[in-house]
Amino acid sequence: MVQVWKSIDMKFCSRCGHRLSQKLIEGRTRRVCESCGHVFYRQLKVGAGVIVERDGDILLMRRGAGVLAFPGTWCLPAGYCEHDEAPKQTAAREAKEETGLEVAIGDIFGIFFFDDDTRGNGIQIVYRATVIGGELSSDGTEVEALAYFCPEDLPQALAGGGHDQTIRAWKRSCLRE
Ligand SMILES: [Zn+2]
């Protein structure tokens, strides 16, 4: 099976700087360094986000027009996990950075696979979270707006990257209750 190399493509070895070649390894074409022998395995990215509710409504943010992925669409407070960060920490950190709210992370709402983000395929781990402090505020650039929405009146333009799936799953969970 030949992999299609999409937007993110490594040309040089990050260990020794040698130009990379392609080789069939374990049934897939992979980037290999002929100089130091390193094989570069491409793996899923991991993100984490929060569902914050108020009186049955969900908190969403509108991404700024200048952001790389899904500009101008609505999504959950969320972001990629740093390499030394547990997903729960990521979720709380992103909530604080993007909404100004301090949250306590609760149970996992769901884990969503996405393959529609030009930055790479991944999974997003979504937690339910409770506000314990802070004040709702957006920076006005990366986060253009923050608002609570009821399940019957969600915005039309939802971000990909697992957000649209999560928000629709949340809506279904509300209508079942
Ligand atoms: Zn190398």
Side-chain angles (χ1 to χ4, degrees), residues 13-18 20 33 35-38 40:
C13 178
S14 59
R15 293 190 158 190
C16 75
H18 197 269
L20 295 174
C33 178
S35 175
C36 75
H38 193 70
F40 290 86

Side-chain angles (χ1 to χ4, degrees), residues 66-78:
V67 303
L68 277 176
F70 313 110
T73 61
W74 291 86
C75 67
L76 303 162

Side-chain angles (χ1 to χ4, degrees), residues 22 27 55 58 87 109-110 146 177:
Q22 295 190 33
D55 302 328
I58 189 171
F109 173 79
L146 291 162
E177 280 165 11

Side-chain angles (χ1 to χ4, degrees), residues 95-116:
K96 178 80 175 116
E97 287 174 8
E98 295 182 331
T99 71
L101 298 175
E102 284 163 38
V103 298
I105 300 297
D107 292 338
I108 289 182
F109 173 79
I111 298 172
F112 300 86
F113 169 74
F114 57 87
D115 60 1
D116 58 354

